[in-house]
Amino acid sequence: MPSPSDTTFRNATIAVLVENEAGILARVVGLFSGRGYNIESLTVAPVDQNRRLSRITIVTSGTDMVIEQIKAQLDRLVPVHRVSDLTLEGPHLAREMMLIKVVGKGENRMEALRLADAFRARVVDATTESLVFEMTGAGDKLDAFIELMRPIGLAEISRTGVVAIARGPGGLLA
Amino acid sequence: MSATLQTQTEARTMTGAEIVLQALKDQGVEVIFGYPGGAVLPLYDALFQQNAIRHILVRHEQAAVHAAEGYARSTGKVGVVLVTSGPGATNAVTGLVDALMDSIPVICLTGQVPTHLIGNDAFQEADTTGITRPATKHNYLVKDINKLAGTVHEAFYVAKSGRPGPVVIDLPKDILIGKGPYAEAPQAPHRSYRPQTEPGADPIREAVRLLKGAKRPVVYSGGGVINAGPEASRLLTEFVRMTGMPCTNTLMGLGAYPSTDPQFLGMLGMHGTYEANLAMHGCDVMLNIGARFDDRVTGRLNAFSPNSKKIHADIDPSSINKNVKVDVAIVGDAARVLAALIEAWKEESAQQDKAALAAWWRQIEEWRGKQCLAYVQQGSIIKPQHAVKRLYEITREMGRDTYITTEVGQHQMWAAQYFGFEQPNRWMTSGGLGTMGYGLPAAMGVQIAHPDALVIDIAGEASILMNIQEMGTLSQYRLPVKVFILNNEYMGMVRQWQELLHGSRYSESYSAALPDFVKLAESFHARGIRVTRAEDLDAGIREMLAHPGPVIADIAVAKDENCFPMIPSGAAHNEMILAPGQTGGVAGVTDEGKVLV
Ligand SMILES: Cc1cc2nc3c(=O)[nH]c(=O)nc-3n(C[C@H](O)[C@H](O)[C@H](O)COP(=O)(O)OP(=O)(O)OC[C@H]3O[C@@H](n4cnc5c(N)ncnc54)[C@H](O)[C@@H]3O)c2cc1C
Ligand SMILES: Cc1ncc(C[n+]2csc(CCOP(=O)(O)OP(=O)(O)O)c2C)c(N)n1
Ligand SMILES: [Mg+2]
């Protein structure tokens, strides 16, 4: 239970460098569900094949005390190399990619293409009655585009979740 | 390839089962606790053909893990368990969680169906790594025999470094049968897991500055000091004595500070002493070494030690600021931290406020004067407190090296309150998980490690039935463990909560249809003793201690005795309930408190 002075919530984008081995994702996800922490998004992919390293980016929220706990709990997992709180450690870039399908004809289709242009979304698939856009950006930009597509004919969305990296020369080395 | 090189390579190629045993040997393992089954038959076959490692056949896999815990806690070594796949592994889970909660280094080798059958619901298949992931510090499934030796070595490193804990190695049968290379333990540091043991200079300096300026300091130390090895307990004692500060121990920390020392306040927490809890509540600087601010210790968090600066030294950063926000965090091994504190205490020029400390001690003496553990033994009915106290006094008189294990319940708390320990590693109890059935198998493990010592399981009549089958193991290996049952015919701890929180509605807490423990002992080829009258207590204890083999001593005690002092759930340290007839801050249990365990 957090102390009364520790009730303000904040978001945190946490980068975790891990051994690329079976079960590592289950360990991380199990840690969050077992201890009741939030996961807003989680992404994972290998980043160094030679050294068998993967990078996990987790967006979470909690009080400062809870976020400190989350980092300490992640750090004590045996296959975890480094944990970095990008939100706390200085300016960082956070990006998400989405594929979004819009179904419609005529004026709706034209409107979708116009808005996509303004949002720098690329058309990656088109039929006479559908479009698939690829779009990269901050989460709120993706959210805004989704809201605009909704009345036009939004059919399906697939989002990657956030990947993030610190600005400047510093980095997360094993 | 030259001829010599070839023979060397050949010599280092073995079956998977041989690789496992060789790695255990290289890690200094002398004994393993286990139970066979289809998936681990290759390992049992390899065990049969060697003499370096002794196998103790338990009667239930849960008991194998508790035995390994007792072995580990009483020696500081890693305890090793071997069980089969499926039910063997699932039976071990309670023991694994117990070891996880109490930070006990244990390696559990589990059999698994052959790799090509994994996922097919094969006979006695269970997703052991899936099931034990949250039950262990770490676990492995070995799918490549080339990694087998390295995995076993790594498992030992993980189990014992940093905050110790249980590690499972799941071994598919084809890996045990197949042939592969043996490799010795690597010299290189682990790729990712390198816990910090050396404390930073700044927090040490800051801690000493705070402690020197303290007017009402208290040292609160826990199981981490035991984990850090006997040297840490010696340093704790040295530090507490050189600073003149009062010291209290958690349930898991008992023995780290000598119980007969005047600076010792006894255990703190839910069933801790009046003086320890009020010292925690009233202190201005608290030094926590190797304890984790458990809810049994803190009581209601927003009323916990409200006016103190808190220093916390722990090897696991996740223990720090988890429940209680602290002012100075020291990450490091308790022994290193204590050595650094002693060093810094000598160097720091600031003077202690001796007058304030003396006043603090006068206050503590006043609290002590309440004699919160006093009880009245009158008539023939044996008070459970008295039974433990006499057991303590008589074993002390005998001067034998004595190890105590417990089950879980009131008897466990009375053991903690009335049995004193002068040294670490003599007290084995299930603190974090509170596992009934822990004590007897743990005692078995202790006795294996210390064949000449006196090992006593202080038990309750309900708990002992949870692993009673281990009487067979005691007989088979002639382990002279003494089981000392405080038989109140109730799940006393449950009954006590029902009395205090649920209007004395004793729902399902009566121990009906109990066995005749004397006959039960005899049927397992052990000695059975029953004592029903206070006049006969000492003789019964002496008879138990004099018998060279295993004994069950069934001590009929008062049925309705409650364990005091008690801080009810959701209450603060200064809202303790004392025994009837003693006056102090008595509080009722709030509705909020009833939700808590
Ligand atoms: C019925 C019942 C009643 C109980 N009542 C009480 C009670 O009244 N009082 C009480 O105290 N407990 C009580 N307990 C036990 C309680 O639940 C906890 O198990 C106990 O308080 C935890 O002890 P600890 O804080 O010393 O931590 P442990 O569980 O022993 O943890 C050790 C801590 O030390 C750290 N550590 C490990 N190794 C090292 C090292 N080498 N160097 C430095 N740090 C290290 C770990 O990271 C951890 O934070 C009760 C249990 C039961 C079952
Ligand atoms: C495996 C398990 N089940 C249930 C409990 C809950 N529990 C705690 S103490 C207790 C009663 C123990 O009775 P007994 O062994 O007779 O000890 P007493 O309290 O009477 O000394 C129970 C049921 C537990 N701790 N462990
Ligand atoms: Mg009982």
Side-chain angles (χ1 to χ4, degrees):
Chain A
M1 203 168 78
S3 69
S5 62
D6 187 61
T7 49
T8 45
F9 261 63
R10 73 169 176 100
N11 284 314
T13 302
I14 298 172
V16 194
L17 207 57
V18 301
E19 288 286 289
N20 179 10
E21 63 179 33
I24 178 64
L25 199 56
R27 281 182 214 287
V28 170
V29 173
L31 172 66
F32 275 73
S33 65
R35 292 185 185 266
Y37 305 142
N38 296 325
I39 301 185
E40 262 145 53
S41 96
L42 184 150
T43 62
V44 59
V47 289
D48 186 335
Q49 301 284 5
N50 287 338
R51 296 169 62 211
R52 304 191 322 273
L53 295 176
S54 287
R55 179 167 170 136
I56 301 178
T57 310
I58 303 167
V59 181
T60 182
S61 62
T63 62
D64 275 332
M65 224 164 139
V66 166
I67 288 170
E68 189 186 333
Q69 259 301 295
I70 291 174
K71 290 185 282 180
Q73 293 290 350
L74 284 167
D75 206 28
R76 76 193 193 121
L77 294 178
V78 171
V80 166
H81 285 261
R82 283 283 309 276
V83 178
S84 164
D85 184 343
L86 294 170
T87 308
L88 207 66
E89 283 164 24
H92 67 281
L93 296 163
R95 291 289 181 273
E96 199 178 339
M97 196 189 98
M98 129 172 115
L99 296 172
I100 174 167
K101 185 178 288 182
V102 179
V103 176
K105 290 181 175 170
E107 186 45 36
N108 273 354
R109 189 178 161 83
M110 295 313 293
E111 179 63 5
L113 285 167
R114 270 195 297 276
L115 287 165
D117 198 39
F119 273 78
R120 292 170 207 264
R122 289 200 303 131
V123 179
V124 288
D125 180 64
T127 68
T128 51
E129 52 194 331
S130 70
L131 292 161
V132 175
F133 299 109
E134 174 193 317
M135 185 171 164
T136 303
D140 50 356
K141 184 178 154 193
L142 270 52
D143 291 341
F145 188 67
I146 290 169
E147 284 319 308
L148 289 171
M149 289 302 114
R150 206 177 288 286
I152 295 176
L154 175 66
E156 196 176 348
I157 304 166
S158 178
R159 294 172 70 151
T160 57
V162 173
V163 292
I165 202 162
R167 287 182 184 271
L172 187 64
L173 300 171
Chain B
M1 210 186 275
S2 78
T4 47
L5 197 61
Q6 200 167 10
T7 45
Q8 265 178 14
T9 330
E10 259 171 11
R12 303 314 273 174
T13 298
M14 315 175 186
T15 67
E18 287 164 351
I19 291 173
V20 171
L21 290 188
Q22 185 62 46
L24 295 184
K25 257 180 256 173
D26 285 359
Q27 291 290 341
V29 174
E30 288 164 356
V31 57
I32 61 185
F33 302 90
Y35 206 93
V40 284
L41 284 181
L43 262 170
Y44 275 87
D45 203 33
L47 271 171
F48 191 81
Q49 299 175 46
Q50 56 87 53
N51 287 316
I53 297 175
R54 187 172 173 212
H55 178 271
I56 303 295
L57 177 66
V58 296
R59 300 316 194 244
H60 187 293
E61 290 88 349
Q62 181 193 350
V65 187
H66 294 323
E69 288 185 89
Y71 180 91
R73 190 69 166 181
S74 67
T75 59
K77 296 187 205 163
V78 178
V80 182
V81 175
L82 169 57
V83 300
T84 194
S85 67
T90 55
N91 267 352
V93 170
T94 299
L96 294 171
V97 180
D98 192 90
L100 182 70
M101 293 288 274
D102 285 344
S103 303
I104 314 287
V106 167
I107 303 270
C108 181
L109 307 165
T110 56
Q112 183 55 277
V113 301
T115 43
H116 68 274
L117 288 181
I118 290 178
N120 285 24
D121 296 330
F123 178 64
Q124 294 197 327
E125 178 182 0
D127 176 6
T128 299
T129 43
I131 290 169
T132 61
R133 203 171 285 125
T136 52
K137 179 173 175 185
H138 194 55
N139 63 14
Y140 304 88
L141 167 63
V142 182
K143 284 177 140 176
D144 173 0
I145 193 161
N146 295 306
K147 295 191 177 144
L148 179 55
T151 302
V152 178
H153 292 308
E154 181 177 315
F156 274 85
Y157 166 76
V158 170
K160 66 188 176 194
S161 20
R163 180 181 188 164
V167 176
V168 160
I169 312 176
D170 204 22
L171 299 164
K173 197 169 181 182
D174 55 327
I175 298 290
L176 292 177
I177 291 171
K179 286 207 169 188
Y182 183 73
E184 259 136 52
Q187 298 299 310
H190 192 271
R191 266 168 65 87
S192 55
Y193 186 67
R194 294 186 292 266
Q196 178 181 342
T197 53
E198 207 54 57
D202 289 349
I204 291 285
R205 210 174 304 120
E206 182 58 15
V208 167
R209 198 187 60 76
L210 277 178
L211 287 165
K212 283 228 165 156
K215 294 188 185 309
R216 300 182 310 279
V218 69
V219 176
Y220 145 48
S221 83
V225 176
I226 313 279
N227 286 130
E231 177 67 0
S233 295
R234 199 191 60 69
L235 291 168
L236 173 72
T237 310
E238 182 181 335
F239 184 66
V240 169
R241 285 189 180 145
M242 77 192 274
T243 58
M245 299 189 291
C247 177
T248 175
N249 287 165
T250 66
L251 182 75
M252 293 308 292
L254 293 175
Y257 195 84
S259 72
T260 50
D261 188 283
Q263 279 167 260
F264 187 56
L265 305 185
M267 182 173 79
L268 80 164
M270 182 174 272
H271 293 291
T273 65
Y274 190 69
E275 52 271 30
N277 286 331
L278 289 192
M280 289 290 281
H281 192 80
C283 68
D284 67 345
V285 178
M286 173 190 302
L287 172 62
N288 169 344
I289 302 188
R292 55 186 174 85
F293 290 112
D294 183 77
D295 53 63
R296 278 328 67 165
V297 162
T298 59
R300 191 167 78 243
L301 274 178
N302 61 10
F304 173 66
S305 194
N307 302 312
S308 60
K309 291 271 183 214
K310 299 175 184 75
I311 305 160
H312 186 183
D314 202 292
I315 204 161
D316 180 356
S318 82
S319 280
I320 299 174
N321 291 332
K322 176 163 65 184
N323 303 325
V324 171
K325 193 121 189 91
V326 297
D327 301 280
V328 180
I330 308 174
V331 176
D333 176 72
R336 307 289 181 82
V337 170
L338 282 158
L341 286 173
I342 289 168
E343 215 35 52
W345 185 270
K346 288 177 187 157
E347 280 167 15
E348 164 74 44
S349 55
Q351 291 298 307
Q352 240 183 322
D353 186 343
K354 290 275 167 58
L357 190 61
W360 178 226
W361 270 111
R362 278 195 298 280
Q363 170 67 75
I364 290 171
E365 288 307 338
E366 200 179 297
W367 290 328
R368 246 183 198 161
K370 180 147 311 242
Q371 301 202 328
C372 67
L373 295 179
Y375 61 87
V376 183
Q377 172 63 50
Q378 244 173 10
S380 272
I381 296 175
I382 304 168
K383 286 254 175 164
Q385 299 93 322
H386 185 62
V388 176
K389 186 142 179 267
R390 286 308 295 152
L391 181 69
Y392 173 51
E393 288 165 352
I394 293 171
T395 51
R396 251 179 93 84
E397 264 168 40
M398 292 174 45
R400 281 186 68 187
D401 197 9
T402 304
Y403 293 75
I404 300 291
T405 71
T406 75
E407 307 290 337
V408 171
Q410 290 180 319
H411 62 275
Q412 175 189 28
M413 294 298 112
W414 285 316
Q417 292 173 333
Y418 296 95
F419 209 104
F421 300 91
E422 304 308 300
Q423 294 175 75
N425 308 98
R426 300 300 189 280
W427 164 248
M428 271 52 58
T429 197
S430 171
L433 196 63
T435 312
M436 292 169 70
Y438 165 89
L440 175 54
M444 235 155 67
V446 175
Q447 190 82 76
I448 291 282
H450 309 277
D452 300 325
L454 173 60
V455 184
I456 307 172
D457 172 25
I458 299 183
E461 84 293 337
S463 295
I464 194 66
L465 290 178
M466 285 219 179
N467 270 319
I468 193 70
Q469 76 288 344
E470 297 309 317
M471 289 302 296
T473 313
L474 294 187
S475 289
Q476 179 178 348
Y477 297 97
R478 299 177 198 283
L479 302 174
V481 167
K482 317 300 180 209
V483 180
F484 190 72
I485 302 177
L486 300 182
N487 187 344
N488 52 9
E489 289 179 30
Y490 273 101
M491 297 172 194
M493 186 57 89
V494 174
R495 197 203 54 76
Q496 173 166 351
W497 281 52
Q498 289 172 332
E499 178 182 330
L500 299 176
L501 280 87
H502 297 278
S504 297
R505 290 179 295 279
Y506 299 129
S507 177
E508 305 293 331
S509 53
Y510 182 66
S511 290
L514 283 171
D516 176 333
F517 282 107
V518 173
K519 284 190 188 144
L520 186 146
E522 286 166 356
S523 74
F524 277 109
H525 326 290
R527 170 76 64 90
I529 298 171
R530 180 164 167 83
V531 181
T532 55
R533 300 186 316 162
E535 308 79 281
D536 305 328
L537 179 65
D538 282 16
I541 291 173
R542 288 183 204 283
E543 184 187 345
M544 170 181 90
L545 298 178
H547 183 67
V551 180
I552 294 181
D554 180 17
I555 314 294
V557 297
K559 296 186 210 277
D560 53 0
E561 192 67 17
N562 285 335
C563 183
F564 293 116
M566 177 179 184
I567 303 174
S569 300
H573 279 174
N574 58 345
E575 299 169 338
M576 228 171 312
I577 307 180
L578 296 176
Q582 296 182 330
T583 50
V586 176
V589 180
T590 60
D591 284 347
E592 231 175 291
K594 277 192 193 171
V595 182
L596 306 170
V597 264

